């Protein structure tokens, strides 16, 4: 039997590539696509702080621009198991709404918490709110 993908371990691997020289807060994200592929992302910071991008958005943009559009799960690994920021919640709503979200504390990876974007962002602004759509 094939081993199921360990998406928690994948997020921790992704985190190793975080570029966080300013905050020192490294975050890794791993998406499991409906097709079973795994796509990684990690946060990338800039000396012009506002240009920095979170791990979740890097992972989603990486997946979308690699041709993946539907996702089963996203694991997010950080010290303390932080939930996604508001900007990432918006992008998750628009591009990974059905993904189970798994929040991983890198010091306790064996007991992640599970949530979803409807819980984290219950009344989102979406494309259908725009008159032209
Ligand atoms: N960060 C993420 O990568 N994901 C989040 O959900 C919250 C914050 C990053 C952004 C920045 O590089 C660092 O963590 C500190 O805010």
């Amino acid at each position: 039997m094939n081993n199921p993908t360990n998406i928690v371990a994948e997020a921790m691997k992704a985190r190793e590539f975080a570029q966080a020289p300013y905050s020192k807060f490294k975050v890794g994200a791993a998406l499991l696509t409906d097709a079973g592929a795994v796509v990684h992302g990690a946060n990338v910071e800039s000396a012009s702080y506002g240009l920095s991008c979170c791990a979740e958005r890097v992972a989603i943009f990486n997946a979308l621009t690699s041709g993946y559009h539907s996702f089963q799960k996203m694991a997010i690994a950080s010290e303390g198991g932080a939930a996604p920021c508001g900007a990432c919640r918006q992008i998750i709503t628009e591009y990974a709404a059905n993904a189970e979200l798994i929040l991983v504390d890198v010091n306790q990876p064996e007991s992640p918490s599970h949530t979803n974007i409807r819980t984290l962002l219950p009344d989102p602004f979406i494309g259908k709110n725009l008159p032209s759509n």
Side-chain angles (χ1 to χ4, degrees), residues 52-63:
S52 304
C53 195
C54 295
E56 296 90 325
R57 276 176 287 155
V58 171
I60 290 173
F61 297 159
N62 189 13

Side-chain angles (χ1 to χ4, degrees), residues 23 25 27 43 45 54-56 83-85:
S23 73
F25 188 72
V27 186
N43 55 327
E45 296 182 349
C54 295
E56 296 90 325
C85 79

Side-chain angles (χ1 to χ4, degrees), residues 9 36 41 68 78 82 92 101 104-105:
Y68 299 109
S78 66
I92 294 166
L101 303 178
V104 183
D105 179 347

Side-chain angles (χ1 to χ4, degrees), residues 65-77:
T65 56
S66 301
Y68 299 109
H69 291 93
S70 42
F71 307 104
Q72 302 180 46
K73 297 177 184 190
M74 178 159 61
I76 304 158

Side-chain angles (χ1 to χ4, degrees), residues 88-117:
C88 291
R89 292 180 196 204
Q90 178 67 29
I91 295 297
I92 294 166
T93 293
E94 294 185 61
Y95 290 104
N98 296 324
E100 176 187 5
L101 303 178
I102 304 168
L103 309 180
V104 183
D105 179 347
V106 296
N107 298 312
Q108 292 181 314
E110 67 287 351
S111 52
S113 68
H114 296 250
T115 187
N116 60 65
I117 199 60

